[in-house]
Amino acid sequence: MADTPEAIKKSIRTYLFIGGILFAGTILTVLIATVPALDMGAHGFDKWDCIFGLTIATIKASLVAFVFMHLNHEKKAVYWLFASGLCMVCSLAGLTALALWDPIFDSFFYSGH
Amino acid sequence: MEIPYIVTPRKDTGLFNAKIAIWLFLASEVMLFGGFFSSYVFLRLGADYPWPERTLPVLPGLINTFVLIGSSVTVVFAWAALKMREWRKFQIFMGITVFCALIFMVLKAVEYNVKFHHQALRLKDYSIIEGHLGKELDGDKKEVLDHNGNPIEENLIYVEASKLTFNTRRFHTPWLEELLTQAEQHKSTVKLTADLKGEEGTSDEGKIYAKSGELLSIEFLNRMEEIRKAATSNNAALRTTALRQEWVKAHAANPGKRDWQISAGVNIDLKALKPKMLTEISTVTFTVDPPAKFDFHPRDIKAADGSSRMRDDTVVEGKLLDSPMGFHHVDAIDFQYLVMKAVEKGIEPEIAIENSWLIKNNKFAQEAWEWHQGEIVKLKAELLKKGGLDKDGKPRLFPTHKELYRIGWKDFAKKTEDEGRVKLSSSDAFKEEFFGPNYEARGDETFPELSVPREQVGFAAKFSPAWNTYYGIYFTITGLHGLHVIGGALVLSYYLFFGRKMYLTNPEWLANRVEIGGLFWHFVDLVWIFVFPILYLM
Amino acid sequence: MSSHDTSHAGHDAHHDEHHHNPGFIWKYVFSSDHKMIGMQYGITAMCFLAFGFYLMMVMRWSIAYPHQPLPEWMSWVFTDGWKARWLQDGKVTGETYNMFGAMHGTIMVFLGIVPLGFGAFGNYVTPLQIGAPDMAFPRLNMASYWVYLAGGLIMCASFFMESGSAKSGWTNYSPLAGFADGQIVTQILAGQTQWLIGLVCLITSSLLGSVNFVTTIINLRVRGMTWMRMPFFVWSMLVTGFLLLLAFPPLEAAGIMQLMDRVAHSSFFMPSGLFTKSEGLANLSGGGSPLLFQHLFWFLGHPEVYVLLLPAFACVAEIIPVNTRKPLWGYKSMVYSVLILGFLSFVVWAHHMYMTGMGAAVSTFFQTTTVLISVPSVVIITAMLISLWGGSIRFTPPMMWACAFIPMFGIGGLTGLPLAFNLADLHLHDTYYVIGHFHYVVAPGILFGFFAGVLHWYPKITGRFMSKTLNHLHFWPSLICMNLIFFPMLVQGMAGFHRRWYNGGDAYLSQAADSVNIFGKTVVQYIDMNIMMSMGAWTLAFFQIFFFINLITSWKFGKKVTSDNPWDATTLEWATPTPPGHGNFLKDPVTYRGPYEYSRPDCEEDFLPQWVEPRRLDTADKPADKH
């Protein structure tokens, strides 16, 4: 972690640079979503918009986490701590979604939820 | 003994206490927001109605994203300034951070306010109308005010009540006050229909608790409630004792038998008990003379002609009057849900729409729908030009469900602008991105009035969590996130305004605290990084 | 080998007192000292446990004698007005039974066992065992207690509302829980709503507490206290802290969403087309998913049961070595097992949901993880059992309870295995078998562990031993009654008795001789067990009185301890003065060895505490000279 004034000055430039990337990423996401010319895949909202949007969001979030929250300088323990939370969320979301996609009834006969 | 490692990190872990704590807390916050995001996924995938895709104005969300990212950068600069012992710089950057939080919350408040005033209505045939309700106007076109001094929205149930029956245990005092006020406004008296007296054969036989003609008042019903409580307590105690005695007798008469074998024959002798019981007055009926037109919120009453029941079990007898829902400005007509239901039944969407109540009964809707179909033809041609045909000869790109079947406010605006009837200044148009359609500037040609008879009303709500699960999860996630913004801003402001003393005595401690606060702030930004695309752009 | 001299009052103690002499309120009420907070948690939790117990006693009357009015010895606590409102001719109604049932579960789990295990034992003992002067964040600790108390009081206040308390099961599933008490106009006065508000308070309290615990254990271990020298108790508390930290927030999310369903009329968990008798078609948008609530609830629900269990494991694991005079067998395996258990507990939750229409893939996944999770539990309990082998067992009061814990928890755990399997669970879900299983784990299991803990640490807290005689009067009847109550439940459950019947199965008994009521014929064979079980429950209640008498009178009249380490134990909490003062240790202890150094061949005494300096090898005391 940056402790000396020189190191801090250097990281300030990094912070500004990362901030710029975050701004750009946001604009890119909005453009992909709103400008018809940039619409990949089918017209309107489809899985590609979802994938692009979430990928860009994940990259932005990782930048904030690793650089702004200095997770990449932090002790391993902290990193694993935070990662454990993420793991658990993925298991919650993933397994819950799996339950939705694997019902006991054949969807042809059962259209309710 | 001092608690160690508050400021200086512990050697083997390399961390001071608060840093571990904040990361633990952030892990739990990941779980909290993760829970909400999982719910979002689950609700969206499992929705049995057309999910409102890309339904929110993007600009406020986008500005908020920039504001939060900017504040993330400035909070790090503030911490860096503190580490380099530059107090002034710290103040400036922290001040900007807190100011950004303020901008965020103001924009959020604007967004919420606009939504909470916007009305949505699903008709019985599943077509959806959106807009703003009118306000009740008197003969001079001035707003009528209710007994609290607020204007009344044109979404009330009107009953010409001749009788009111109250449940002495459940009546809701504020509603009672409202009824009394309204009766007074209509110059009707509400009086007891018949004497309230003790039942025949009971211990208070003939006793008159209230005489017919006595006026309704809160005090009166409270008194009845007390009487009822006393009576039920007394009777319950009597019946319990009697039942106990019956069982003693039954057990003695049936030795060795189980309870369930003899229970059918164990009964209280109500006839014998009756002389000792008190009369339980559970309902009290009042006559409204002359019958008055009462108004009720649709959520509070289950209206039916002849006899309507309020949620506190007050029964309002009388004629159900015309209680239409009056839209002052309709700004969207949405047939997506109707089409979804029609397709499930195997009916062609266009036919279903042609047969909807709106198209059959409202000229504006007819014209709008026809115009819209023209627009769709144009859109299809454009998409055909852009994407061409696939190998089966079908167009590769086609309009979305929403484009086909929803006429939003921007469509209505475009229609009148294309027809040359309305032109908005660019600043007004810009403001529409925040405050919704500008009804005054665009006028009644764009957003006309519409009155919907109560029989057609299926479900109505503002753009609030009640309207659908999309708004439910939207308000919940952004609301909770907003609370975190406020919390974080408060903590950072504390260091900004009250940190000077700590800066002078133990600056490293303050730097640590600000770092912890900053970590929380970054997390708030991190959540928003996901919230924005998921809720606004998808 | 003398134990560390802890009884001299150096100038440190004087300095402390001079520097930190709070008034009565700050010392006893709004204390930020972990020991006082631990005791506050303990006393409050015991009060809630007693209250939950009482609710159960009334429920058992309804089950055993559904047609008879509540006897006076039970009904005297209620006011006439309450009885008029909630009892039918003095009999327990279905609605009242549901109220009591839902609150019994909620109070026992959230207000009783977790605060007792984690809040009371955890708070008191953990900093002492790692040599810390207090928790990392003492004021946060205090906040955690008061928020817990507030949440608990809100939940219990709901009994006095017009709507009554929550009544939709402790699991509070939507849509029932979303619209029960919906007729109350001011929703904040509805029992169901108050339950949710109380729950949010409790979750907040747990989160604050768990952050404190994990930070303390990571950062405040004293010099020499490496990870593998920590007592198993501390490992358990660490894992419990993580479970609470990561598992509670989704339930908070679910609680907030259900609260919005009730107050803001949203439809997170309300399906389309909901129709009720009182309202007809519900005035809601619909489109929600009741299953979503179940997923979010059980995502907490399963780690929650390990939150209940691990503190009891912790207490028993401490007591066994002390009373067998040999080290805990398989300490390392136990540590790894508890870590794996913690991790696995997050991915087994849907075994509570086998009956929700899950397909083969999902149920196979959860079946597999559930069976896997039994392995670490078995490792831990087996290690405890093996620890007894070859030990010089002292049947002190704590040891009696610890020894009873092992088979009782064993039965509880083993009866869980059929429930892990999808196919068997088809028959057993929502039957009394489930109730028998989890009560075996919690009541004669976890609670016995806690009684053991109280008896074990009482001398450190008060300087006196609890009475052995009163303990016998408490222990033997409790052991017998627990089995009398819960074993027949396993039998009834297999016969198909549903877990939420308010009349014990009475409704299924047909009087007609020619009735084709096959189920009734099964019910009639086992329905008489209800009476025996209820008698067991009321007897159990009676004998708990001896525990409370013991707890209170031993404070003044118990046999005094003669040293700071009356059990001759090895862990750091016994290096403090009795009772430990503010800051706990007179000077920072240093840890030189593992936590269970008993019966070392090179020691004269049969124990070598963690804090005692090692003898230098260059002194005259050579091992050969000492036997």
Side-chain angles (χ1 to χ4, degrees):
Chain A
M1 191 166 73
D3 264 325
T4 60
E6 295 77 33
I8 290 181
K9 274 203 169 62
K10 194 158 145 248
S11 39
I12 285 181
R13 274 190 300 137
T14 317
Y15 296 141
L16 273 171
F17 179 61
I18 300 293
I21 295 184
L22 293 173
F23 271 80
T26 312
I27 295 174
L28 183 64
T29 321
V30 173
L31 288 176
I32 291 180
T34 49
V35 172
L38 290 172
D39 205 352
M40 328 220 181
H43 175 70
F45 176 67
D46 67 337
K47 69 172 184 224
W48 291 111
D49 291 294
C50 192
I51 291 173
F52 274 115
L54 284 178
T55 310
I56 297 178
T58 310
I59 294 172
K60 282 160 73 183
S62 311
L63 284 174
V64 171
F66 283 108
V67 180
F68 283 4
M69 294 166 96
H70 2 278
L71 207 48
N72 64 344
H73 295 305
E74 209 62 82
K75 295 286 163 185
K76 274 277 174 63
V78 172
Y79 169 75
W80 283 114
L81 232 144
F82 198 57
S84 68
L86 279 168
C87 263
M88 291 310 161
V89 173
C90 291
S91 84
L92 171 62
L95 291 169
T96 323
L98 179 62
L100 239 186
W101 275 316
D102 182 37
I104 199 169
F105 299 107
D106 189 326
S107 55
F108 178 77
F109 294 104
Y110 179 69
S111 58
H113 292 275
Chain B
M1 274 181 182
E2 285 295 323
I3 295 172
Y5 311 122
I6 294 182
V7 181
T8 42
R10 181 181 159 114
K11 286 238 164 41
D12 60 351
T13 60
L15 302 159
F16 56 94
N17 296 342
K19 183 166 271 203
I20 302 179
I22 193 70
W23 279 109
L24 287 168
F25 179 62
L26 291 181
S28 84
E29 294 275 85
V30 164
M31 294 306 297
L32 179 66
F33 281 102
F36 280 115
F37 280 116
S38 312
S39 305
Y40 170 85
V41 169
F42 204 82
L43 287 170
R44 180 159 185 171
L45 293 176
D48 61 356
Y49 67 97
W51 188 264
E53 283 173 6
R54 295 183 173 164
T55 208
L56 295 175
V58 173
L59 196 55
L62 182 62
I63 295 179
N64 270 348
T65 310
F66 289 147
V67 164
L68 267 188
I69 294 177
S71 71
S72 255
V73 175
T74 55
V75 84
V76 157
F77 286 173
W79 169 75
L82 211 51
K83 279 288 243 196
M84 299 204 286
R85 305 289 183 260
E86 288 169 339
W87 178 253
R88 201 94 199 102
K89 262 197 179 163
F90 161 74
Q91 279 187 309
I92 293 171
F93 283 121
M94 197 52 100
I96 298 176
T97 310
V98 175
F99 183 65
C100 284
L102 192 64
I103 298 177
F104 184 92
M105 290 316 296
V106 165
L107 273 175
K108 181 126 269 108
V110 167
E111 279 186 281
Y112 276 25
N113 195 36
V114 168
K115 290 186 179 53
F116 287 151
H117 282 101
H118 208 113
Q119 181 73 36
L121 165 65
R122 190 214 308 148
L123 300 175
K124 283 248 158 68
D125 61 7
Y126 288 95
S127 25
I128 289 174
I129 302 172
E130 297 167 12
H132 271 224
L133 289 176
K135 300 274 182 4
E136 291 262 330
L137 300 173
D138 59 16
D140 297 325
K141 299 280 181 181
K142 268 180 61 199
E143 282 181 0
V144 176
L145 300 176
D146 68 9
H147 75 300
N148 285 326
N150 300 320
I152 308 172
E153 278 193 332
E154 275 184 61
N155 181 18
L156 295 169
I157 308 280
Y158 297 102
V159 179
E160 193 180 70
S162 49
K163 276 216 178 75
L164 294 171
T165 305
F166 296 96
N167 182 312
T168 47
R169 185 168 59 83
R170 295 211 55 233
F171 71 92
H172 186 61
T173 309
W175 288 355
L176 179 59
E177 276 173 12
E178 175 72 26
L179 285 170
L180 285 169
T181 314
Q182 288 191 32
E184 206 184 297
Q185 281 175 345
H186 293 290
K187 303 210 182 353
S188 298
T189 49
V190 186
K191 22 189 227 259
L192 198 57
T193 312
D195 283 353
L196 279 178
K197 49 183 194 243
E199 224 178 280
E200 218 183 285
T202 58
S203 72
D204 57 352
E205 173 179 352
K207 173 169 175 187
I208 302 218
Y209 286 106
K211 288 195 84 63
S212 110
E214 213 175 305
L215 290 174
L216 171 66
S217 68
I218 298 172
E219 179 275 326
F220 181 92
L221 282 184
N222 283 334
R223 204 177 358 122
M224 291 301 125
E225 190 180 6
E226 291 304 310
I227 293 170
R228 178 186 177 161
K229 274 201 192 135
T232 46
S233 299
N234 173 70
N235 296 350
L238 282 173
R239 295 168 69 123
T240 308
T241 319
L243 188 57
R244 287 211 181 103
Q245 286 165 351
E246 291 295 322
W247 272 104
V248 167
K249 281 195 278 194
H251 281 141
N254 296 290
K257 280 243 165 85
R258 293 272 170 263
D259 274 14
W260 54 269
Q261 288 165 316
I262 55 176
S263 67
V266 183
N267 298 300
I268 314 172
D269 187 357
L270 280 171
K271 274 214 285 281
L273 263 189
K274 199 155 181 193
K276 289 193 246 168
M277 310 228 294
L278 290 170
T279 310
E280 292 180 24
I281 303 170
S282 49
T283 57
V284 188
T285 308
F286 290 82
T287 315
V288 183
D289 184 32
K293 179 178 163 192
F294 286 115
D295 56 67
F296 305 93
H297 283 288
R299 188 165 276 290
D300 294 341
I301 189 167
K302 194 152 190 66
D305 203 17
S307 175
S308 307
R309 177 175 286 267
M310 297 182 74
R311 269 194 303 129
D312 66 348
D313 283 341
T314 303
V315 178
V316 182
E317 284 175 55
K319 206 166 80 147
L320 180 61
L321 302 172
D322 264 345
S323 312
M325 231 175 125
F327 277 85
H328 193 189
H329 295 289
V330 172
D331 62 26
I333 293 176
D334 192 332
F335 291 116
Q336 290 183 81
Y337 204 173
L338 179 149
V339 164
M340 196 183 99
K341 290 281 179 191
V343 166
E344 274 175 21
K345 291 205 191 83
I347 304 172
E348 281 288 316
E350 278 71 28
I351 296 175
I353 295 173
E354 299 290 323
N355 285 315
S356 70
W357 179 88
L358 257 182
I359 299 297
K360 280 173 121 163
N361 292 287
N362 186 274
K363 195 157 149 302
F364 172 79
Q366 256 168 20
E367 282 174 11
W369 178 241
E370 271 173 40
W371 172 84
H372 180 73
Q373 290 191 299
E375 295 294 303
I376 291 297
V377 167
K378 283 192 235 163
L379 176 62
K380 279 184 175 162
E382 240 179 78
L383 291 176
L384 186 58
K385 215 167 71 169
K386 184 172 162 198
L389 296 170
D390 64 9
K391 55 180 166 57
D392 297 323
K394 290 222 225 33
R396 216 175 254 128
L397 297 175
F398 38 84
T400 61
H401 205 250
K402 182 174 161 191
E403 281 168 333
L404 286 171
Y405 303 119
R406 177 185 166 88
I407 313 173
W409 73 263
K410 290 201 167 150
D411 298 313
F412 286 130
K414 183 167 181 292
K415 175 168 179 280
T416 47
E417 276 181 2
D418 285 349
E419 289 165 1
R421 293 194 272 165
V422 172
K423 183 80 182 84
L424 237 66
S425 69
S426 50
S427 66
D428 275 343
F430 180 73
K431 278 200 268 199
E432 279 185 325
E433 287 299 315
F434 295 91
F435 298 102
N438 190 331
Y439 297 129
E440 288 72 43
R442 296 193 184 272
D444 284 351
E445 316 86 82
T446 320
F447 302 120
E449 283 187 3
L450 177 66
S451 181
V452 181
R454 188 56 53 178
E455 310 83 64
Q456 293 302 323
V457 170
F459 176 70
K462 293 286 192 295
F463 277 18
S464 62
W467 173 232
N468 55 28
T469 55
Y470 167 77
Y471 278 106
I473 198 83
Y474 164 79
F475 281 112
T476 311
I477 291 184
T478 55
L480 200 64
H481 177 262
L483 284 176
H484 281 74
V485 169
I486 294 175
L490 283 173
V491 169
L492 293 176
S493 321
Y494 176 79
Y495 292 130
L496 174 62
F497 295 119
F498 301 108
R500 181 95 181 130
K501 190 158 153 223
M502 201 189 269
Y503 180 71
L504 295 172
T505 49
N506 195 344
E508 195 58 22
W509 196 355
L510 181 65
N512 283 351
R513 291 285 153 279
V514 168
E515 185 186 2
I516 301 301
L519 282 174
F520 180 76
W521 192 252
H522 288 305
F523 180 76
V524 166
D525 181 29
L526 214 149
V527 171
W528 184 259
I529 284 174
F530 281 106
V531 167
F532 176 60
I534 291 177
L535 290 177
Y536 285 81
L537 301 177
M538 294 190 183
Chain C
M1 195 64 50
S2 64
S3 55
H4 178 78
D5 186 0
T6 56
S7 51
H8 91 266
H11 72 278
D12 299 79
H14 174 76
H15 172 78
D16 266 22
E17 205 203 312
H18 177 73
H19 172 65
H20 186 96
N21 193 7
F24 180 84
I25 295 279
W26 294 108
K27 191 164 176 207
Y28 291 108
V29 182
F30 291 108
S31 168
S32 58
D33 185 296
H34 73 99
K35 301 182 291 295
M36 186 55 63
I37 294 173
M39 291 209 278
Q40 287 177 321
Y41 262 111
I43 295 173
T44 312
M46 283 197 231
C47 292
F48 280 125
L49 282 172
F51 181 48
F53 203 106
Y54 188 78
L55 295 176
M56 175 275 293
M57 283 167 54
V58 175
M59 286 163 71
R60 286 264 26 130
W61 177 271
S62 177
I63 295 169
Y65 304 114
H67 301 282
Q68 291 193 42
L70 267 183
E72 272 161 27
W73 64 269
M74 265 204 245
S75 69
W76 67 271
V77 290
F78 303 115
T79 60
D80 278 342
W82 192 94
K83 283 188 276 200
R85 171 90 174 86
W86 294 107
L87 301 175
Q88 169 79 10
D89 302 341
K91 292 181 285 190
V92 178
T93 59
E95 193 181 6
T96 308
Y97 181 90
N98 285 340
M99 259 171 48
F100 279 31
M103 294 308 287
H104 167 77
T106 309
I107 291 173
M108 290 308 214
V109 171
F110 291 113
L111 302 182
I113 302 282
V114 174
L116 187 57
F118 192 67
F121 284 108
N123 257 314
Y124 199 102
V125 178
T126 311
L128 295 175
Q129 282 197 338
I130 59 173
D134 202 318
M135 285 284 189
F137 306 107
R139 281 173 301 181
L140 202 68
N141 210 5
M142 173 170 76
S144 165
Y145 169 73
W146 287 101
V147 176
Y148 152 65
L149 184 63
L153 289 175
I154 291 174
M155 277 201 177
C156 292
S158 62
F159 277 108
F160 301 100
M161 299 291 133
E162 191 219 298
S163 63
S165 70
K167 52 186 72 69
S168 311
W170 84 280
T171 50
N172 220 50
Y173 284 175
S174 278
L176 179 63
F179 72 79
D181 296 346
Q183 76 277 12
I184 304 293
V185 182
T186 320
Q187 269 299 300
I188 198 145
L189 297 178
Q192 291 282 161
T193 310
Q194 289 174 347
W195 189 93
L196 291 167
I197 296 173
L199 191 72
V200 171
C201 290
L202 293 175
I203 296 176
T204 309
S205 158
S206 291
L207 285 176
L208 297 178
S210 56
V211 167
N212 224 339
F213 268 74
V214 178
T215 309
T216 306
I217 294 172
I218 291 178
N219 241 26
L220 294 188
R221 280 166 296 129
V222 84
R223 193 160 67 96
M225 176 70 76
T226 62
W227 289 105
M228 290 316 250
R229 282 184 184 168
M230 282 193 336
F232 183 76
F233 184 98
V234 184
W235 277 109
S236 280
M237 291 300 169
L238 180 68
V239 176
T240 309
F242 267 109
L243 292 179
L244 287 171
L245 186 76
L246 297 177
F248 253 133
L251 180 62
E252 180 145 33
I256 291 173
M257 289 195 278
Q258 201 176 70
L259 204 54
M260 289 189 70
D261 274 0
R262 295 188 64 83
V263 172
H265 311 294
S266 57
S267 297
F268 287 112
F269 307 125
M270 302 304 221
S272 305
L274 195 63
F275 190 96
T276 55
K277 187 173 152 208
S278 54
E279 264 198 48
L281 202 59
N283 191 5
L284 296 169
S285 69
S289 172
L291 260 189
L292 177 62
F293 181 83
Q294 291 192 30
H295 279 293
L296 292 172
F297 180 88
W298 287 114
F299 188 83
L300 164 88
H302 198 81
E304 176 72 9
V305 313
Y306 292 102
V307 167
L308 302 175
L309 174 63
L310 291 182
F313 269 167
C315 293
V316 173
E318 291 310 306
I319 291 163
I320 288 181
V322 172
N323 291 291
T324 54
R325 313 313 291 167
K326 72 194 262 290
L328 198 61
W329 191 92
Y331 167 78
K332 239 190 188 169
S333 315
M334 286 175 74
V335 168
Y336 289 131
S337 293
V338 82
L339 291 170
I340 293 173
L341 186 75
F343 171 73
L344 276 179
S345 71
F346 281 102
V347 287
V348 295
W349 79 85
H351 65 229
H352 299 272
M353 295 168 60
Y354 283 139
M355 298 291 280
T356 58
M358 293 160 68
V362 197
S363 52
T364 308
F365 175 86
F366 282 107
Q367 205 171 255
T368 314
T369 50
T370 309
V371 171
L372 272 177
I373 205 177
S374 67
V375 172
S377 323
V378 169
V379 167
I380 295 175
I381 198 77
T382 311
M384 286 179 182
L385 186 62
I386 298 180
S387 299
L388 300 175
W389 180 267
S392 170
I393 301 184
R394 314 190 300 198
F395 277 106
T396 56
M399 189 56 169
M400 288 166 61
W401 291 99
C403 285
F405 169 85
I406 296 173
M408 294 292 103
F409 174 76
I411 296 178
L414 288 171
T415 52
L417 278 176
L419 295 171
F421 293 102
N422 188 350
L423 212 54
D425 191 64
L426 279 179
H427 300 279
L428 298 174
H429 179 74
D430 268 353
T431 61
Y432 258 92
Y433 184 88
V434 178
I435 301 203
H437 154 67
F438 69 68
H439 276 95
Y440 252 107
V441 183
V442 181
I446 294 171
L447 215 48
F448 279 21
F450 289 157
F451 284 135
V454 171
L455 288 156
H456 182 66
W457 280 297
Y458 195 91
K460 173 52 64 180
I461 301 174
T462 61
R464 292 178 189 267
F465 290 101
M466 287 176 77
S467 152
K468 279 195 177 155
T469 320
L470 284 174
N471 183 58
H472 279 290
L473 278 171
H474 177 212
F475 176 76
W476 296 105
S478 294
L479 184 61
I480 295 170
C481 285
M482 289 285 192
N483 285 288
L484 262 182
I485 302 170
F486 300 115
F487 199 84
M489 284 190 183
L490 302 170
V491 176
Q492 281 189 330
M494 286 183 147
F497 278 52
H498 187 275
R499 68 184 277 181
R500 290 194 169 123
W501 287 341
Y502 79 97
N503 49 34
D506 185 272
Y508 287 92
L509 298 178
S510 168
Q511 305 295 321
D514 61 346
S515 139
V516 201
N517 184 358
I518 300 173
F519 188 45
K521 291 183 171 51
T522 313
V523 169
V524 78
Q525 288 174 45
Y526 301 100
I527 197 169
D528 290 334
M529 285 178 169
N530 284 332
I531 298 180
M532 172 179 79
M533 289 150 72
S534 296
M535 294 290 182
W538 300 323
T539 317
L540 182 69
F542 173 74
F543 282 100
Q544 303 313 299
I545 296 176
F546 292 107
F547 172 72
F548 287 108
I549 297 177
N550 200 354
L551 196 65
I552 296 170
T553 57
S554 301
W555 200 288
K556 281 278 177 272
F557 306 112
K559 180 170 132 204
K560 276 209 181 121
V561 301
T562 49
S563 85
D564 284 326
N565 188 359
W567 303 117
D568 290 335
T570 54
T571 43
L572 281 182
E573 75 266 33
W574 304 102
T576 59
T578 305
H582 186 68
N584 297 339
F585 298 90
L586 292 173
K587 53 192 246 274
D588 276 331
V590 178
T591 312
Y592 296 101
R593 57 189 65 83
Y596 306 117
E597 297 291 315
Y598 292 96
S599 300
R600 279 171 62 134
D602 60 344
C603 273
E604 183 188 301
E605 301 194 0
D606 69 349
F607 72 109
L608 187 53
Q610 285 189 286
W611 65 86
V612 171
E613 277 183 46
R615 276 171 298 131
R616 293 191 214 285
L617 285 176
D618 59 358
T619 62
D621 296 337
K622 291 212 177 42
D625 295 342
K626 292 251 177 197
H627 295 260

